[in-house]
């Protein structure tokens, strides 16, 4: 598209909105990382089965929450990833 | 040669009509040159009369040297604000004369008249003379230009007025053997204005024969009371973050005082005396006042040594992207040391801004469109070499962009930074000879699917999970030394 077309498209379309509102990110970071931390400790207390179904499940949950928590933490700290 | 690279990109219309010398006649051409430091403004008014009906395309001519120096060209009808479409004249690169076509808004009837104003900005048109000056000496510059305004049409009368900012003009060239065009003085000085002209009955001059016979350079040597600055290099990085809804813009600037080089050593005593007695010092750049966008936060200004604290920032609150009000944050920055003639200073300036002020989302196509300013306007300063790198979010596809003026070169690369796995696509654009007039936005559009958006948290989650797997394995290993 040429310059004037892109410019009119930019003016006509609504403003960008992130998936998660920026104001929520610090609180999200705190609670997600707190949960990850707690779940991490919980994993260490689980019984050692031969097939670690329960441990893996809790570990996966902790990892996913930790992933989102770290991204939110980076944004809160000013490193906009 | 395609469109001269610094001419603003307006609508492109393919022309068939040639620069027929019989289509128009210039009843008068007046060129006014406003002398400056590194940036000179030239406004040429063509009083045009159409010699044939339905004339639509008016051709102007620029000499080689003038073309090299011109970094911005805009044509409009006198009294109207909208610029006219300007394109290259087909087949116009020979004889040292470049032809540029201006498409008139309405075709002119026979014998109709029109005033066309051609605004041009010339860079690197002046040079300091004497080339070296001490702290107490005044600063003087020389400006060079061609005597005649070339045109493919006959001109009845033509004059060039060169306006200096002060009446202290040390000297100017006096053209000789001008009997063909005038019987009076070929050049006159009145206050701060030097007038070359009026010259009468000039034949169509946009050809090598006229240039060889009559065209000659003229120079004006004038005193200039303001600091002459130039940015030898500018590296701008714009990073778009969707998770943080943020646009980070960082400028690495190499600033140089393009005035006469400092003769002798720098005397701090002399410098302080001048500051104390408030004497205007044209040979030193004390600082810069920049107009940054509204709504910026986390601004940083540092150089090789570290953070520079001699700056003052007044931010303007964030304005939504559709707001017609143009607000600016003002940053007054002072370098670590006063920049004397020929000295350089390099620093980094950057800020964060909310992405909602500069980006929009088109739901029908799923595209994001971002507006990024090409450069922050540096007042009365030329940017010799500018490189703009736009870093898009990870996994961006269908990348399309449009620049307000032609770029010197474009390239694509991959930029890797925090929490990246595959890296972010980056567009690098290079421009040369930019001025305040080039401080326009460019637009980039791209798509980011949700899966690409989630790459970051998943990557971190995988890292966490690997730690957990290690932990699970480690729990099951017995390292006790058994005591049986």
């Amino acid at each position: 598209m040429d310059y004037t077309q892109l410019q009119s498209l930019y003016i006509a379309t609504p403003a960008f909105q992130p998936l998660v509102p920026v104001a929520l990110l610090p609180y999200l970071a705190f609670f997600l990382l707190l949960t990850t931390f707690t779940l991490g400790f919980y994993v260490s207390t689980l019984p050692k089965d031969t097939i670690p179904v329960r441990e893996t499940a809790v570990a996966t949950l902790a990892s996913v929450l930790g992933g989102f928590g770290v991204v939110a933490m980076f944004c809160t700290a000013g490193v906009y990833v | 040669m395609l469109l001269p690279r610094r001419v603003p990109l307006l609508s492109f219309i393919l022309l068939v009509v040639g620069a027929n010398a019989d289509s128009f006649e210039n009843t008068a051409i007046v060129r006014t040159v406003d002398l400056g430091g590194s940036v000179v403004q030239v406004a040429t008014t063509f009083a045009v009369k159409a010699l044939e009906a339905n004339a639509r395309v008016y051709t102007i001519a620029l000499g080689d040297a003038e073309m090299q120096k011109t970094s911005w060209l805009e044509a409009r009808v006198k009294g109207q604000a909208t610029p006219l479409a300007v394109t290259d004249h087909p087949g116009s690169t020979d004889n040292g004369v470049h032809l540029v076509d201006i498409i008139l808004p309405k075709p002119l009837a026979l014998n109709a008249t029109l005033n066309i104003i051609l605004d041009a900005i010339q860079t690197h048109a002046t040079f300091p003379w004497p080339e070296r000056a001490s702290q107490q000496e005044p600063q003087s510059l020389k400006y060079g230009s061609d005597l005649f305004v070339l045109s493919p049409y006959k001109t009845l009368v033509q004059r060039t007025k060169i306006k200096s900012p002060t009446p202290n003009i040390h000297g100017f060239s006096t053209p000789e053997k001008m009997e063909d065009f005038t019987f009076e003085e070929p050049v006159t000085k009145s206050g701060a204005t030097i007038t070359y002209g009026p010259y009468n009955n000039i034949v169509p001059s946009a050809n090598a024969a006229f240039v060889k016979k009559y065209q000659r350079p003229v120079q004006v040597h004038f005193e200039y009371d303001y600091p002459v600055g130039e940015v030898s290099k500018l590296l701008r990085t714009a990073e778009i973050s969707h998770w943080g809804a943020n646009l980070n813009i960082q400028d690495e600037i190499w600033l140089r005082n393009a005035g006469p080089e400092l003769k002798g050593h720098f005397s701090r005593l002399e410098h302080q005396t001048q500051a104390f007695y408030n004497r205007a010092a044209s040979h030193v750049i004390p600082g810069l006042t920049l107009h940054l966008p509204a709504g910026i936060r986390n601004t940083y200004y540092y150089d090789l040594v570290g953070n520079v604290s001699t700056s003052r920032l007044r931010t303007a609150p964030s304005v939504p992207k559709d707001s017609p009000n143009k607000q600016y944050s003002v940053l007054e920055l002072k370098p670590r040391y006063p920049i004397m003639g020929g000295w350089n200073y390099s620093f980094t300036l950057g800020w964060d801004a909310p992405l909602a002020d500069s980006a929009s989302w088109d739901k029908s196509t799923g595209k994001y469109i971002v507006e990024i300013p090409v450069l922050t306007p540096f007042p009365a300063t030329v940017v010799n070499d500018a490189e703009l790198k736009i870093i898009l979010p990870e996994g961006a596809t269908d990348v399309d962009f449009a620049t307000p003026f032609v770029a010197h070169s474009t390239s694509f690369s991959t930029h890797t930074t925090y929490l990246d796995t595959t890296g972010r696509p980056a567009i690098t654009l290079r421009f040369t000879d930019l001025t305040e007039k080039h401080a326009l936005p460019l637009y980039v559009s791209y798509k980011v699917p949700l899966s690409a958006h989630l790459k970051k948290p998943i990557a971190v989650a995988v890292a966490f999970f690997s730690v957990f797997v290690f932990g699970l394995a480690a729990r099951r290993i017995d390292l006790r030394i058994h005591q049986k």
Side-chain angles (χ1 to χ4, degrees):
Chain A
M1 275 194 275
D2 78 333
Y3 188 76
T4 31
Q5 283 177 314
L6 260 182
Q7 187 174 40
S8 29
L9 185 61
Y10 169 75
I11 295 168
T13 44
F16 169 84
Q17 282 189 330
L19 259 186
V20 177
V22 179
L24 272 186
L25 283 174
Y27 305 101
L28 208 62
F30 180 70
F31 286 111
L32 285 176
L33 289 177
L34 185 67
T35 319
T36 309
F37 190 65
T38 318
L39 284 176
F41 270 110
Y42 178 58
V43 152
S44 63
T45 62
L46 290 172
K48 284 183 262 190
D49 305 325
T50 332
I51 305 171
V53 175
R54 203 148 166 216
E55 287 171 280
T56 326
V58 178
T60 319
L61 180 64
S63 307
V64 170
L65 293 180
F68 283 94
V70 166
V71 172
M73 182 192 71
F74 266 71
C75 292
T76 315
V79 180
Y80 295 98
V81 288
Chain B
M1 184 179 90
L2 291 175
L3 198 68
R5 59 173 182 264
R6 300 107 167 195
V7 173
L9 259 178
L10 299 166
S11 47
F12 225 94
I13 301 167
L14 200 59
L15 299 155
V16 180
V17 178
N20 190 355
D22 298 331
S23 342
F24 290 98
E25 183 185 68
N26 296 320
T27 38
I29 298 181
V30 178
R31 172 170 57 170
T32 312
V33 177
D34 273 310
L35 291 176
S38 47
V39 170
V40 169
Q41 294 179 323
V42 179
T44 315
T45 307
F46 296 89
V48 162
K49 184 165 112 173
L51 295 180
E52 64 181 24
N54 286 327
R56 190 75 200 270
V57 176
Y58 180 78
T59 309
I60 57 143
L62 294 167
D64 250 346
E66 203 178 338
M67 197 70 205
Q68 279 283 74
K69 290 187 293 203
T70 305
S71 93
W72 174 267
L73 204 60
E74 189 178 80
R76 55 195 166 90
V77 173
K78 187 169 182 173
Q80 294 177 11
T82 46
L84 304 174
V86 172
T87 74
D88 245 357
H89 186 82
S92 68
T93 48
D94 1 282
N95 312 325
V97 173
H98 299 259
L99 297 174
V100 176
D101 284 332
I102 300 170
I103 293 132
L104 304 175
K106 286 191 298 273
L108 283 181
L110 187 63
N111 290 332
T113 57
L114 190 65
N115 281 333
I116 300 172
I117 299 180
L118 185 73
D119 282 319
I121 302 225
Q122 293 182 344
T123 55
H124 303 117
T126 60
F127 56 94
W129 194 265
E131 285 162 330
R132 313 193 67 214
S134 74
Q135 274 171 268
Q136 291 104 328
E137 287 164 21
Q139 172 179 256
S140 300
L141 306 173
K142 266 195 183 173
Y143 171 73
S145 167
D146 284 329
L147 179 59
F148 288 102
V149 178
L150 300 177
S151 176
Y153 314 112
K154 181 171 184 290
T155 307
L156 295 181
V157 68
Q158 175 191 121
R159 48 166 73 80
T160 301
K161 289 188 189 159
I162 300 181
K163 290 187 183 157
S164 161
T166 68
N168 283 348
I169 297 176
H170 303 302
F172 47 90
S173 324
T174 310
E176 291 170 11
K177 297 205 181 68
M178 298 293 292
E179 294 85 32
D180 285 346
F181 305 109
T182 179
F183 289 115
E184 298 158 1
E185 282 290 329
V187 55
T188 49
K189 173 182 183 284
S190 144
T193 308
I194 297 171
T195 309
Y196 283 93
Y199 303 134
N200 307 303
N201 293 327
I202 302 166
V203 294
S205 50
N207 48 62
F210 181 92
V211 169
K212 194 166 162 192
K213 188 167 179 198
Y214 293 115
Q215 183 72 293
R216 67 204 81 168
V218 291
Q219 272 195 346
V220 176
H221 188 198
F222 61 104
E223 190 173 306
Y224 189 62
D225 286 337
Y226 301 99
V228 178
E230 77 178 16
V231 174
S232 33
K233 195 167 165 193
L234 170 67
L235 285 177
R236 173 168 269 217
T237 315
E239 192 172 312
I240 301 167
S241 160
H242 278 204
W243 275 110
N246 185 63
L247 176 65
N248 172 277
I249 294 184
Q250 177 172 298
D251 281 336
E252 280 167 67
I253 298 161
W254 279 259
L255 181 63
R256 190 175 166 266
N257 185 334
E261 276 188 28
L262 182 67
K263 189 159 65 175
H265 66 271
F266 168 60
S267 162
R268 175 63 70 170
L269 181 63
E270 178 65 41
H271 179 75
Q272 298 287 67
T273 320
Q274 282 174 351
F276 182 71
Y277 288 115
N278 267 335
R279 280 185 226 146
S282 56
H283 56 273
V284 54
I285 299 178
L288 283 177
T289 304
L290 298 177
H291 290 269
L292 305 181
I296 63 174
R297 51 183 188 224
N298 303 340
T299 320
Y300 49 93
Y301 165 39
Y302 63 83
D303 61 13
L304 211 56
V305 177
N307 179 52
V308 186
S309 57
T310 50
S311 64
R312 205 174 297 143
L313 173 67
R314 290 192 292 276
T315 49
S318 172
V319 284
K321 80 166 179 73
D322 300 322
S323 167
N325 298 331
K326 270 275 162 199
Q327 288 201 357
Y328 295 103
S329 307
V330 180
L331 174 67
E332 293 161 7
L333 47 85
K334 259 175 73 160
R336 257 180 223 286
Y337 48 86
I339 306 174
M340 310 298 289
W343 286 13
N344 299 292
Y345 179 65
S346 61
F347 59 97
T348 307
L349 174 63
W351 60 85
D352 287 328
L355 190 57
D357 294 347
S358 309
S360 71
W361 153 252
D362 184 13
K363 200 163 175 181
S364 55
T365 50
K367 279 192 180 194
Y368 293 95
I369 304 126
V370 183
E371 175 193 62
I372 297 165
V374 171
L375 86 161
T376 312
F378 293 96
T381 309
V382 61
V383 178
N384 290 352
D385 186 7
E387 192 181 288
L388 170 57
K389 187 172 183 181
I390 305 157
I391 300 169
L392 303 170
E394 202 175 8
T397 53
D398 292 340
V399 177
D400 186 20
F401 64 95
T403 50
F405 37 85
V406 184
H408 188 67
S409 68
T410 315
S411 62
F412 293 89
S413 57
T414 307
H415 180 83
T416 313
T417 181
Y418 301 106
L419 303 185
D420 281 344
T421 39
T422 47
R424 303 173 193 222
I427 310 167
T428 308
L429 300 161
R430 271 198 66 211
F431 302 97
T432 49
D433 290 335
L434 300 183
T435 61
E436 270 179 288
K437 285 270 194 181
H438 292 93
L440 299 169
L442 68 78
Y443 297 94
V444 185
S445 80
Y446 56 91
K447 285 188 196 171
V448 178
L450 186 64
S451 53
H453 195 51
L454 292 177
K455 254 196 224 179
K456 280 197 188 36
I458 302 298
V460 181
V462 166
F464 266 113
F465 193 70
S466 63
V467 175
F468 280 118
V469 164
F470 173 75
L472 293 187
R475 288 178 82 197
R476 287 158 169 77
I477 298 170
D478 190 4
L479 292 169
R480 278 180 304 175
I481 303 167
H482 289 279
Q483 286 169 3
K484 284 243 174 89

